[in-house]
């Protein structure tokens, strides 16, 4: 952890004429104020038979009650329950888990790992739903997408509450949402957008699937299972949705905008489901099915990786960054592949992050989480350095020698069910 991780960048920026003369700590650091992080429980301390992750604690509690209340639902397969949890995300995050969004999924079922990436190169189609239907067919589920939608419509009678991420999105797009009658009815109370904890109207899932079925044979849908296996780190079997070797050659995959996404997961005994949905919303946000938001699914995706060593398996989803893969690469530099227990992965997740950006070349770092030694080394670099309270969002899963659990990022609001 004390490794001087930025030495490798000296050759990259050698000769740059811009120098940093000092790095003033912010007010919170100068007065030794300890911040309360949004998420306190970041992993399960004991092995669990049932686990959920999302940013919405209330929805996890309600979904757990829903599955346990009706005896017939206990007979659903793991995949069918994962699809139900995914469908609920459309209601909970209608901007990031819209029917039109890209959906990436990492699965482990009966010991076999599987990756699915679903998107469409046409904006009016429903790649999120295409992915769920693809899963049901691959694992030969007894119930169709239409049947599972009907179960939610009839039996899920719990409130759908606004999360902090949705609250922020609604507030930032207040004027555009207000101009649409459907959106205004769904997302406003009086003259203000909904706040965290307030209730959303419930989606009609059967109608959703009916609309999807009109497009399901379209050749614009793209589903693939491809992941890059090449990596400069040879002590693990690697599978990522980006080429890890680019970062070792100082080639960064920087997007113009921050990549926002919705990450969610479900674990039952030894079967694991980890998913992330995202889409590129145009400056003028547009309505999709019911009160969801339409976007472009064929866009830069969150980073997703699977690493397997002799004694552990680690999955990571990286989002909320202009270069999600860069954060995963840095974790590997810190020694992620040498860790065999979730406690150590959790410490790496909490460690200070940095991000190289271009045009102009500069470095952003979480100075509040940095050591004095790190900051002194950074000040020797001849590039501009900027402070950030938090960089990125990384959620994951690790199965080590004695413990298997989801792991959340304490920087962002997240909830973990351990039963």
């Amino acid at each position: 952890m004390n490794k001087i991780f930025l030495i490798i960048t000296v050759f990259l920026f050698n000769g740059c004429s811009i120098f940093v003369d000092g790095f003033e700590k912010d007010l919170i650091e100068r007065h030794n104020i300890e911040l309360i992080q949004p998420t306190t429980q970041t992993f399960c301390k004991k092995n669990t038979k049932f686990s959920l992750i999302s940013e919405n604690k209330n929805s996890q509690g309600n979904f757990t009650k829903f599955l346990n209340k009706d005896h017939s639902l206990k007979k659903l397969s793991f995949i069918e329950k994962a699809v139900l949890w995914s469908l609920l995300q459309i209601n909970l995050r209608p901007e990031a888990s819209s029917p039109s969004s890209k959906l990436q999924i990492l699965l482990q079922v009966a010991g076999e790992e599987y990756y699915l990436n679903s998107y469409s190169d046409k904006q009016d189609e429903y790649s999120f739903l295409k992915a769920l239907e693809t899963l049901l067919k691959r694992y030969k589920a007894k119930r169709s997408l239409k049947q599972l939608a009907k179960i939610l419509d009839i039996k899920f009678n719990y409130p759908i509450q606004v999360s902090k991420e949705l609250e922020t999105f609604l507030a930032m797009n207040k004027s555009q949402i207000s101009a649409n009658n459907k959106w205004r009815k769904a997302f406003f109370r009086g003259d203000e957008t909904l706040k965290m904890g307030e209730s959303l109207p419930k989606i009609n899932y059967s109608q959703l699937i009916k609309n999807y079925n009109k497009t399901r044979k379209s050749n614009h849908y793209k589903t693939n299972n491809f992941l890059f296996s090449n990596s400069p780190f040879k002590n693990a079997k690697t599978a990522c949705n980006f080429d890890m070797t680019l970062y070792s050659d100082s080639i960064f995959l920087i997007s113009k905008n921050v990549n926002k996404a919705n990450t969610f997961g479900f674990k039952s005994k030894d079967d694991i489901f980890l998913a992330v949905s995202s889409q590129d919303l145009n400056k003028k946000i547009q309505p999709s099915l019911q009160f969801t938001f339409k976007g472009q699914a064929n866009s830069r995706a969150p980073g997703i990786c699977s690493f397997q060593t002799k004694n552990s398996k680690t999955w990571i989803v990286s989002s909320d960054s202009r270069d999600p893969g860069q954060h995963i690469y840095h974790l590997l530099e810190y020694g992620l592949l040498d860790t065999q227990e979730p406690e150590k992965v959790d410490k790496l997740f909490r460690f200070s992050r940095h991000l190289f950006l271009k045009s102009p070349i500069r470095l952003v770092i979480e100075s509040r989480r940095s050591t004095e030694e790190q900051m002194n080394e950074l000040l020797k670099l001849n590039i501009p350095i900027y402070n950030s309270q938090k960089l990125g969002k990384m959620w994951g899963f690790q199965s080590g020698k004695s413990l298997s659990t989801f792991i959340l990022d304490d920087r962002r609001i997240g909830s973990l069910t351990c039963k």
Side-chain angles (χ1 to χ4, degrees):
M1 294 290 287
N2 293 323
K3 178 182 176 181
I4 310 301
F5 56 85
L6 290 168
I7 294 298
I8 60 170
T9 64
V10 173
F11 78 92
L12 176 65
F13 299 110
N14 188 32
C16 180
S17 59
I18 302 176
F19 289 81
V20 176
D21 296 320
F23 192 92
E24 183 71 15
K25 290 189 174 183
D26 62 26
L27 183 66
I28 289 175
E29 288 180 282
R30 292 201 304 270
H31 292 277
N32 295 316
I33 298 172
E34 185 175 351
L35 293 177
I36 298 175
Q37 299 304 329
T39 299
T40 53
Q41 183 185 13
T42 52
F43 64 96
C44 299
K45 302 298 175 64
K46 297 180 180 180
N47 283 312
T48 61
K49 291 185 178 180
F50 178 89
S51 186
L52 292 169
I53 57 167
S54 74
E55 63 180 45
N56 195 313
K57 183 177 181 179
N58 290 324
S59 70
Q60 290 174 204
N62 290 336
F63 187 68
T64 304
K65 293 175 188 176
F66 163 70
L67 291 180
N68 292 332
K69 184 178 180 181
D70 193 310
H71 182 71
S72 66
L73 299 182
K74 295 180 181 180
K75 298 179 181 180
L76 294 175
S77 69
F78 172 76
I79 290 297
E80 289 167 338
K81 291 176 182 178
V83 167
L84 286 174
W85 183 227
S86 301
L87 286 171
L88 272 181
Q89 302 305 314
I90 300 174
N91 213 150
L92 294 163
R93 288 292 301 276
E95 87 294 3
S97 291
S98 166
S100 61
S101 63
K102 177 197 294 281
L103 183 59
Q104 296 183 88
I105 299 167
L106 268 177
L107 270 173
Q108 178 179 288
V109 178
E112 179 191 22
E113 185 170 305
Y114 175 71
Y115 167 75
L116 177 66
N117 176 26
S118 174
Y119 63 95
S120 174
D121 54 20
K122 186 178 180 182
Q123 194 170 359
D124 293 328
E125 294 187 340
Y126 314 118
S127 46
F128 189 100
L129 299 172
K130 183 68 173 180
L132 300 183
E133 184 178 53
T134 301
L135 281 189
L136 292 171
K137 289 182 176 180
R138 186 183 193 275
Y139 290 96
K140 300 178 181 178
K142 293 180 180 179
R143 295 154 190 88
S144 67
L145 196 56
K146 181 180 178 180
Q147 289 172 314
L148 292 172
K150 189 174 182 180
I151 288 174
L152 283 181
D153 288 336
I154 295 173
K155 297 187 176 185
F156 191 86
N157 300 309
Y158 299 90
I160 304 292
Q161 295 176 307
V162 175
S163 65
K164 188 61 180 179
E165 285 289 341
L166 180 57
E167 175 191 321
T168 301
F169 172 81
L170 297 176
M172 290 179 62
N173 296 279
K174 181 178 178 180
S175 60
Q176 293 185 58
I177 293 171
S178 176
N180 181 287
N181 289 335
K182 190 187 300 182
W183 283 343
R184 185 172 183 88
K185 185 178 179 180
F187 300 123
F188 271 76
R189 294 289 184 271
D191 292 329
E192 295 299 323
T193 52
L194 294 178
K195 302 295 188 293
M196 183 178 174
E198 293 185 315
S199 295
L200 288 161
K202 188 180 176 185
I203 277 179
N204 184 325
Y205 286 99
S206 295
Q207 186 61 48
L208 210 67
I209 305 308
K210 186 177 179 180
N211 283 61
Y212 159 67
N213 283 338
K214 296 175 183 178
T215 74
R216 60 196 297 268
K217 294 183 180 180
S218 168
N219 57 11
H220 291 282
Y221 285 118
K222 312 294 179 185
T223 58
N224 66 67
N225 318 109
F226 177 76
L227 291 171
F228 291 91
S229 60
N230 48 331
S231 170
F233 304 92
K234 303 302 181 183
N235 51 337
K237 180 181 177 182
T238 298
C240 292
N241 67 342
F242 60 92
D243 186 348
M244 185 73 69
T245 59
L246 294 176
Y247 291 103
S248 63
D249 292 331
S250 301
I251 300 172
F252 305 120
L253 307 174
I254 302 169
S255 300
K256 183 177 180 181
N257 301 309
V258 171
N259 183 287
K260 302 291 286 185
N262 180 34
T263 307
F264 51 99
F266 168 50
K267 176 182 179 289
S268 179
K269 298 181 181 177
D270 295 326
D271 294 334
I272 308 126
F273 170 90
L274 181 61
V276 59
S277 59
S278 60
Q279 61 180 355
D280 184 12
L281 292 169
N282 297 328
K283 291 183 179 179
K284 184 178 180 180
I285 56 176
Q286 301 177 56
S288 184
L289 300 179
Q290 296 180 52
F291 52 84
T292 62
F293 297 83
K294 181 167 61 178
Q296 177 58 255
N298 189 16
S299 58
R300 177 73 185 277
I304 188 166
C305 284
S306 168
F307 304 106
Q308 292 189 53
T309 66
K310 183 179 180 181
N311 297 310
S312 68
K313 175 200 289 282
T314 306
W315 292 352
I316 298 179
V317 171
S318 176
S319 63
D320 290 66
S321 173
R322 289 181 58 189
D323 190 353
Q326 196 176 144
H327 296 303
I328 297 178
Y329 179 78
H330 292 156
L331 276 185
L332 297 178
E333 286 191 308
Y334 301 156
L336 175 71
L337 299 179
D338 298 325
T339 62
Q340 298 174 6
E341 295 298 337
E343 293 93 337
K344 295 180 180 179
V345 178
D346 179 64
K347 289 181 180 179
L348 288 176
F349 275 18
R350 295 171 185 266
F351 191 58
S352 173
R353 292 176 190 159
H354 62 287
L355 187 69
F356 291 107
L357 297 174
K358 297 183 292 186
S359 301
I361 292 173
R362 60 203 185 278
L363 177 70
V364 184
I365 188 166
E366 297 173 329
S367 66
R368 290 176 191 165
R369 294 174 183 254
S370 302
T371 64
E372 183 176 352
E373 180 185 7
Q374 284 177 304
M375 294 311 304
N376 288 335
E377 289 299 322
L378 286 170
L379 293 172
K380 296 176 182 178
L381 295 177
N382 51 354
I383 60 172
I385 304 172
Y386 296 88
N387 180 33
S388 176
Q389 181 182 343
K390 55 188 176 185
L391 286 172
K393 171 183 172 181
M394 284 196 284
W395 286 9
F397 176 86
Q398 190 185 56
S399 175
K401 284 185 175 181
S402 59
L403 181 62
S404 296
T405 176
F406 288 113
I407 306 173
L408 305 185
D409 193 333
D410 72 334
R411 293 165 178 76
R412 311 274 176 176
I413 290 179
S415 178
L416 175 63
T417 302
C418 304
K419 289 189 178 296

